[in-house]
C-alpha cells in the first residue's frame, strides 16, 4: 500500500449527493470523518469549466467521483479538468470513479463513417492523467479494453439480488427477463443469484429509438417478471416490453435498471405504464420528477462505491464485492443478509 494517510475524494457537479453519501460511508468504515476535498468547479460566462482545489493534495491518492451523464459533455469536461488540476498539483495517483460512463453506447461502428466515441473518451481520460477507472455496469464490457490502465467494472446484479430477495419474498413464481438478446448475460447473472428461470423479449427495430416488433422467447404464464437492463433512456422499449409480457400471461412486471437516464417522455411513460415498479440506482442524480414518480424506486450505490474505493486504496480485491456474502454486510440495515 502507498505511504498515504487516507484516500481523498473530490467531486464534480454531476452527482454531489452521491459523493457526499460515499464520503459518509467511508467515514463509517474508517472510523474518522471523510468528506470531499474542498474545491470549486464553476463555469465562466462563456461556459468554460474552471476548477480550483483549496486543499493540499501532493502525494495523495485521489478519487474523482463524476458521472458523465446529462449534460454529458459538460460533466466529461469537468472530470478531465479536475484530473488535470490534481495532476498539476502533484497528486500521487488519480482514480476516476464514474458511476455512469457516458458515450458507452458508442462502443463500435454500426455503419460506415461513424465514430467509436467510447474509445475517444478513453483516450481523453488517460491523457488527462487518470491512472485508474472505477465504474458500474458498463454498457459493453469490452470498453475495458479501450483503456491501457486498470478498469474496475462493478456490477449492480448483486445489489439487485439483495433487493429482489427483500421485496419479493417467495421467489417461486419470479422470472427474470432480458429485454434483448444482447442483454442475456446480464439477466442470466441476476437469475442465477436469485435462483429464477429466464426468458427473452426479442425486439426488432426499424430505426434507432423505435421498436417495430417484439417476441417473447419463453413461457411467462403466471410469472412475476423482472426485466433487467443497464440503461433506461426514453423508456419506450421498456414500457412496450412490459405490455407484451402481460399479453403473454405474466401476472405482473417489474424492472431493474442500473442507470436511469430517463430523458424526454420517460417519466410520463413509466407513470402510465403497466409496470408495477421501476427500480434504478443513483448512479445518475435523480431529478425531482424521478423522485416523485410513484412507481420508481431508487437503490443506493454509495455502500458499494465506498467499499470499492477503500479496497483500491488499500490494495485489496475489488472483485470480492461481486459476492453476496461480502456485499450483504455492506448493505446491512437496508436488506436482510440471511
Amino acid at each position: 500500500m502507498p505511504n498515504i494517510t487516507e484516500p481523498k475524494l473530490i467531486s464534480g457537479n454531476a452527482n454531489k449527493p452521491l459523493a457526499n453519501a460515499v464520503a459518509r460511508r467511508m467515514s463509517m468504515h474508517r472510523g474518522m470523518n471523510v468528506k470531499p476535498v474542498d474545491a470549486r468547479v464553476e463555469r465562466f460566462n462563456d461556459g468554460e469549466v474552471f476548477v480550483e482545489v483549496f486543499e493540499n493534495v501532493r502525494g495523495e491518492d485521489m478519487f474523482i467521483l463524476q458521472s458523465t451523464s446529462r449534460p454529458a459533455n459538460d460533466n466529461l469536461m469537468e472530470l478531465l479538468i479536475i484530473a488535470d488540476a490534481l495532476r498539476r498539483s502533484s497528486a500521487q495517483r488519480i482514480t476516476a470513479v464514474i458511476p455512469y460512463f457516458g458515450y458507452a453506447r458508442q462502443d463500435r461502428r454500426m455503419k460506415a463513417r461513424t465514430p467509436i466515441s467510447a474509445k475517444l473518451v478513453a483516450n481523453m481520460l488517460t491523457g488527462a492523467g487518470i491512472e485508474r477507472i472505477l465504474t458500474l455496469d458498463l454498457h459493453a464490457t469490452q470498453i475495458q479494453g479501450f483503456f491501457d490502465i486498470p478498469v474496475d467494472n462493478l456490477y449492480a446484479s448483486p445489489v439487485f439480488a439483495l433487493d429482489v430477495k427483500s421485496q419479493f419474498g417467495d421467489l417461486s413464481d419470479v422470472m427474470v427477463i432480458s429485454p434483448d438478446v444482447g442483454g442475456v448475460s446480464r439477466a442470466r447473472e441476476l437469475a442465477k443469484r436469485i435462483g429464477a428461470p429466464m426468458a427473452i423479449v426479442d425486439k426488432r427495430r426499424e430505426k434507432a429509438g423505435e421498436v417495430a416488433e417484439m417476441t417473447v422467447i419463453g413461457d411467462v404464464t403466471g410469472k412475476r417478471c423482472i426485466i433487467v437492463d443497464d440503461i433506461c433512456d426514453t423508456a419506450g422499449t421498456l414500457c412496450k416490453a412490459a405490455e407484451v409480457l402481460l399479453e403473454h400471461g405474466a401476472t405482473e412486471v417489474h424492472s431493474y435498471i442500473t442507470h436511469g437516464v430517463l430523458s424526454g417522455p420517460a417519466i410520463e411513460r413509466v407513470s402510465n405504464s403497466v409496470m408495477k415498479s421501476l427500480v434504478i440506482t443513483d448512479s445518475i442524480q435523480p431529478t425531482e420528477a424521478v423522485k416523485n414518480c410513484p412507481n420508481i424506486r431508487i437503490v443506493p450505490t454509495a455502500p458499494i462505491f465506498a467499499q470499492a474505493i477503500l479496497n483500491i486504496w488499500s490494495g485489496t480485491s475489488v472483485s470480492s464485492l461481486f459476492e453476496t456474502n461480502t456485499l450483504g454486510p455492506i448493505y446491512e440495515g437496508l436488506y436482510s443478509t440471511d
Side-chain angles (χ1 to χ4, degrees), residues 163-231:
D163 189 87
V164 169
K165 290 175 181 177
S166 172
Q167 296 291 325
F168 283 71
D170 180 16
L171 301 178
S172 60
D173 63 341
V174 169
M175 176 173 274
V176 175
I177 308 295
S178 173
D180 53 45
V181 175
V184 166
S185 60
R186 184 178 294 108
R188 185 184 293 121
E189 179 64 24
L190 179 62
K192 180 181 176 182
R193 288 179 180 276
I194 65 173
M198 192 186 78
I200 303 170
V201 176
D202 184 37
K203 62 178 181 249
R204 180 171 59 86
R205 293 183 186 273
E206 292 292 344
K207 57 183 179 179
E210 292 186 11
V211 177
E213 184 181 348
M214 284 186 168
T215 305
V216 178
I217 304 173
D219 184 8
V220 299
T221 304
K223 298 292 187 181
R224 289 184 292 168
C225 292
I226 300 176
I227 302 174
V228 180
D229 209 353
D230 64 321
I231 295 173

Side-chain angles (χ1 to χ4, degrees), residues 3 31 35 44 100 140 142 144 149 160 221 243 317:
N3 185 24
K35 60 182 180 179
F44 293 143
Y100 172 69
Q142 65 264 26
Q144 296 172 86
I149 58 175
F160 285 165
T221 304
E243 292 173 8
S317 171

Side-chain angles (χ1 to χ4, degrees), residues 282-293:
D282 56 356
S283 62
I284 297 172
Q285 183 174 341
T287 62
E288 287 303 315
V290 171
K291 293 177 183 176
N292 294 331
C293 185

Side-chain angles (χ1 to χ4, degrees), residues 38-320:
D38 188 17
R40 63 176 175 139
V41 182
E42 299 176 348
R43 282 168 179 74
F44 293 143
N45 291 333
D46 63 354
E48 286 185 11
V49 175
F50 175 74
V51 173
E52 184 178 7
V53 181
F54 296 121
E55 298 180 26
N56 179 28
V57 296
R58 182 179 297 274
E60 299 287 2
D61 198 357
M62 299 299 304
F63 294 84
I64 310 170
L65 196 148
Q66 176 81 338
S67 281
T68 50
S69 50
R70 183 175 55 241
N73 298 333
D74 288 355
N75 288 331
L76 176 59
M77 282 304 300
E78 282 189 12
L79 174 58
L80 296 170
I81 293 173
I82 292 170
D84 187 71
L86 295 176
R87 179 171 60 88
R88 294 176 187 278
S89 302
S90 302
Q92 184 178 83
R93 183 175 65 172
I94 302 170
T95 299
V97 182
I98 311 174
Y100 172 69
F101 190 99
Y103 286 99
R105 286 176 280 184
Q106 299 184 50
D107 63 305
R108 61 193 184 280
R109 297 185 70 188
M110 299 296 291
K111 56 182 73 174
R113 295 176 296 281
T114 56
I116 304 179
S117 302
K119 172 58 176 169
L120 174 61
V121 170
N123 291 342
M124 294 166 68
L125 294 172
T126 305
I130 290 168
E131 298 167 70
R132 192 179 195 106
I133 304 290
L134 174 62
T135 188
L136 177 70
D137 268 355
L138 279 172
H139 181 66
T141 55
Q142 65 264 26
I143 290 173
Q144 296 172 86
F146 292 174
F147 291 89
D148 292 323
I149 58 175
V151 177
D152 291 303
N153 182 33
L154 300 175
Y155 298 102
S157 59
V159 182
F160 285 165
L162 290 172
D163 189 87
V164 169
K165 290 175 181 177
S166 172
Q167 296 291 325
F168 283 71
D170 180 16
L171 301 178
S172 60
D173 63 341
V174 169
M175 176 173 274
V176 175
I177 308 295
S178 173
D180 53 45
V181 175
V184 166
S185 60
R186 184 178 294 108
R188 185 184 293 121
E189 179 64 24
L190 179 62
K192 180 181 176 182
R193 288 179 180 276
I194 65 173
M198 192 186 78
I200 303 170
V201 176
D202 184 37
K203 62 178 181 249
R204 180 171 59 86
R205 293 183 186 273
E206 292 292 344
K207 57 183 179 179
E210 292 186 11
V211 177
E213 184 181 348
M214 284 186 168
T215 305
V216 178
I217 304 173
D219 184 8
V220 299
T221 304
K223 298 292 187 181
R224 289 184 292 168
C225 292
I226 300 176
I227 302 174
V228 180
D229 209 353
D230 64 321
I231 295 173
C232 178
D233 193 345
T234 60
T237 301
L238 190 66
C239 294
K240 177 64 175 174
E243 292 173 8
V244 170
L245 288 167
L246 287 178
E247 290 169 4
H248 281 74
T251 57
E252 58 187 50
V253 180
H254 304 261
S255 295
Y256 278 74
I257 311 293
T258 307
H259 307 296
V261 177
L262 299 174
S263 56
I267 303 301
E268 182 181 358
R269 284 174 174 171
V270 171
S271 298
N272 298 327
S273 171
V274 296
M275 281 188 300
K276 290 199 69 174
S277 69
L278 167 61
V279 180
I280 60 175
T281 75
D282 56 356
S283 62
I284 297 172
Q285 183 174 341
T287 62
E288 287 303 315
V290 171
K291 293 177 183 176
N292 294 331
C293 185
N295 53 344
I296 294 181
R297 191 160 52 82
I298 301 169
V299 169
T301 57
I304 192 170
F305 274 116
Q307 190 61 55
I309 288 170
L310 291 172
N311 286 11
I312 290 171
W313 168 74
S314 63
T316 55
S317 171
V318 172
S319 62
S320 64

